[in-house]
Amino acid sequence: MRKLSYITGLLLGSLCVVHAQTQDSLDLRKGILAEARYLKSIYKTDEAIEKLSELVKPEGFDEDVLSELADCHFQSGDYESAAGTYFLLSSRAPDNILYKIRQMQTYARIKAWPQSIQAGREILQLDSIPAVLSFIGDSFRQMESADSALWYYRRSLAMRPMNESVVAKAVNVLIGKGDYDGAISLTGAFLAEDPDNTLVAPLKGLSYYRKGDYESAISVFQRQEDIGNDTYPIHYYLGQSYWHTKVMYRAEEELLTAWQIDSSDVNLAYSIAAVKSDGYRPFEKEVKPWLDKAWEMIQPDPATMSRLHQQYGLGYYRRQDSWDKAIEHYKEAYRYNPKFISALSTIAYCYEIKKDYKHALEWYEKYLKVATPGSQGYEFATKSIDYLKGELFMEENE
């Protein structure tokens, strides 16, 4: 009996030690979690991840720790790690909608559209959420699957018909498909409740414009302008619509207003020139300046073009068998950048290799006119000219 009591005492003592150790580890875990959550709240996510990693054990599954870790990865922009962690969480807790939503979002952030769609569909098996339907539509749209995107947008709108952003997405898909009547119909249902909506109404105007119904487009865009929608697309398409209906003074007025908002569109500069021309404005004074603006906007950057042609020329030059192509590109490099005078001597040398001494002499002389006397290039060209003159003299007297 005494021995049994002794053994019992040892067992009880052992259990107390185990309990104490377990309680200590629980307290440690609780403290690390609290500290990590605080660090995450003040956007010190790297430090939070470091803390949480201390609690990750290969033999265990701590949902709270992994959830915080996944959220930290998501917050810090490490979407690959976030996606993997949310996948693990979703596998162990398949009915947790939040994990699946995060999984769907992280896949989208890394442009893994099929995986994002699959995660979204798994959510829909648990709950019909309009935002998830729209999100799946967005993923299909990124994959250029217009019909599938439209199908999910319509399902979302069936649940929340007055969601202007989803209506706008669906209408843009329809416009992209060339279904202008479908786009007008969809905007009409929404605008019946909110007629002056500044996101959806302009899309209705754009649908009319693309359809060629310019009078209806004017009606929509003019109303938007009247209520204070002073954006570039309103003035641009209103101007274009007035141009198509031959109301030149209004077309010019609206297009010039659009130019004040954004002067980077070459088509707008051309349109202004064309409207002025159709209105019989003086060519030199009013039309040509706008044509010049359009012309300048489509011209490539001279320095960039010169460098590109220089590299083309250098490549053909090094081949030692494409002298004509090398000459062509070095001429263009010099045309775009007249300060690139070494192109002249290179062109001359290419002609010399081709034994076209007449053109070689011509280009060496061009080089000497702009080169610095006494420079290495100047001396080389001078000696080359002397040699070429001798060769030409011999050719003439053969």
Side-chain angles (χ1 to χ4, degrees):
M1 182 67 69
R2 188 176 296 170
K3 184 177 181 181
L4 182 59
S5 298
Y6 175 74
I7 293 172
T8 303
L10 287 176
L11 288 171
L12 289 172
S14 176
L15 287 172
C16 289
V17 170
V18 171
H19 181 268
Q21 290 175 341
T22 303
Q23 189 60 50
D24 286 345
S25 64
L26 287 173
D27 289 342
L28 177 62
R29 173 186 175 279
K30 183 178 179 181
I32 292 176
L33 264 175
E35 186 177 0
R37 283 169 176 155
Y38 171 72
L39 289 168
K40 184 185 73 171
S41 72
I42 60 174
Y43 296 97
K44 291 187 175 182
T45 50
D46 289 342
E47 295 179 36
I49 290 170
E50 187 177 344
K51 287 289 181 184
L52 290 166
S53 297
E54 298 175 16
L55 300 176
V56 177
K57 306 297 180 185
E59 68 278 2
F61 176 80
D62 192 325
E63 185 174 346
D64 289 340
V65 171
L66 288 176
S67 177
E68 290 295 332
L69 192 58
D71 199 38
C72 284
H73 286 312
F74 187 88
Q75 184 172 302
S76 65
D78 183 0
Y79 301 117
E80 293 276 0
S81 298
T85 311
Y86 280 121
F87 177 80
L88 176 61
L89 286 163
S90 293
S91 300
R92 295 295 294 267
D95 293 334
N96 189 308
I97 292 177
L98 176 60
Y99 294 156
K100 291 189 181 297
I101 287 176
R102 284 296 199 191
Q103 190 181 358
M104 177 183 70
Q105 292 173 324
T106 50
Y107 280 136
R109 294 295 177 91
I110 59 176
K111 302 186 187 307
W113 308 117
Q115 292 88 337
S116 181
I117 290 168
Q118 179 58 34
R121 284 171 168 167
E122 290 174 5
I123 296 168
L124 296 178
Q125 291 176 1
L126 300 171
D127 194 356
S128 296
I129 303 174
V132 172
L133 289 162
S134 175
F135 202 97
I136 296 174
D138 293 343
S139 296
F140 273 117
R141 195 175 174 192
Q142 290 292 334
M143 294 172 63
E144 298 184 356
S145 298
D147 290 336
S148 295
L150 191 58
W151 190 80
Y152 278 96
Y153 287 147
R154 288 190 186 280
R155 284 187 63 189
S156 179
L157 290 172
M159 301 178 69
R160 287 189 59 196
M162 292 304 292
N163 188 323
E164 66 175 9
S165 66
V166 180
V167 171
K169 291 174 185 177
V171 171
N172 274 309
V173 171
L174 289 167
I175 291 173
K177 286 164 57 68
D179 184 0
Y180 306 126
D181 288 332
I184 292 166
S185 175
L186 186 54
T187 59
F190 179 90
L191 294 172
E193 299 292 328
D194 185 6
D196 290 332
N197 186 279
T198 56
L199 178 62
V200 177
L203 291 174
K204 185 178 184 180
L206 178 59
S207 301
Y208 279 128
Y209 177 82
R210 293 284 177 83
K211 185 182 176 182
D213 185 351
Y214 302 116
E215 293 288 354
S216 296
I218 288 172
S219 177
V220 175
F221 289 126
Q222 189 61 64
R223 173 59 184 171
Q224 285 289 300
E225 185 178 80
D226 292 344
I227 65 172
N229 190 345
D230 189 34
T231 57
Y232 177 86
I234 299 300
H235 294 294
Y236 178 83
Y237 285 109
L238 190 54
Q240 294 286 352
S241 298
Y242 277 124
W243 182 18
H244 282 290
T245 55
K246 308 300 181 183
V247 186
M248 296 305 174
Y249 78 97
R250 286 302 313 276
E252 182 178 343
E253 178 182 292
E254 295 298 336
L255 293 175
L256 286 171
T257 302
W259 182 265
Q260 295 301 315
I261 298 172
D262 184 357
S263 58
S264 64
D265 187 350
V266 63
N267 291 316
L268 176 57
Y270 166 78
S271 296
I272 294 172
V275 166
K276 285 178 175 289
S277 178
D278 287 351
Y280 297 97
R281 297 299 185 87
F283 177 77
E284 288 290 340
K285 184 178 180 181
E286 296 196 38
V287 179
K288 184 177 179 297
W290 286 100
L291 288 176
D292 290 343
K293 288 180 190 293
W295 179 258
E296 291 167 4
M297 292 169 74
I298 63 171
Q299 293 303 299
D301 172 61
T304 301
M305 292 301 295
S306 178
R307 290 195 298 269
L308 285 172
H309 280 292
Q310 181 181 347
Q311 289 302 316
Y312 274 119
L314 181 61
Y316 287 121
Y317 178 92
R318 287 174 174 171
R319 284 180 54 174
Q320 301 288 301
D321 63 354
S322 301
W323 303 111
D324 288 334
K325 289 184 177 180
I327 289 168
E328 175 188 342
H329 285 290
Y330 274 108
K331 283 181 177 179
E332 286 297 293
Y334 180 73
R335 184 172 71 85
Y336 278 108
N337 180 16
K339 293 182 179 180
F340 180 42
I341 63 172
S342 62
L344 301 175
S345 62
T346 304
I347 293 167
Y349 180 74
C350 290
Y351 277 122
E352 183 179 342
I353 295 298
K354 282 167 51 66
K355 299 188 182 302
D356 184 346
Y357 299 139
K358 182 178 180 181
H359 281 102
L361 180 62
E362 175 186 343
W363 283 91
Y364 276 129
E365 288 176 343
K366 286 183 179 180
Y367 174 74
L368 286 183
K369 289 180 180 178
V370 293
T372 303
S375 65
Q376 186 176 354
Y378 192 94
E379 295 299 325
F380 175 81
T382 301
K383 292 178 181 178
S384 296
I385 287 173
D386 291 337
Y387 167 77
L388 291 171
K389 285 181 176 179
E391 291 293 317
L392 285 170
F393 177 80
M394 293 177 63
E395 286 181 358
E396 292 171 358
N397 290 277
E398 284 183 354

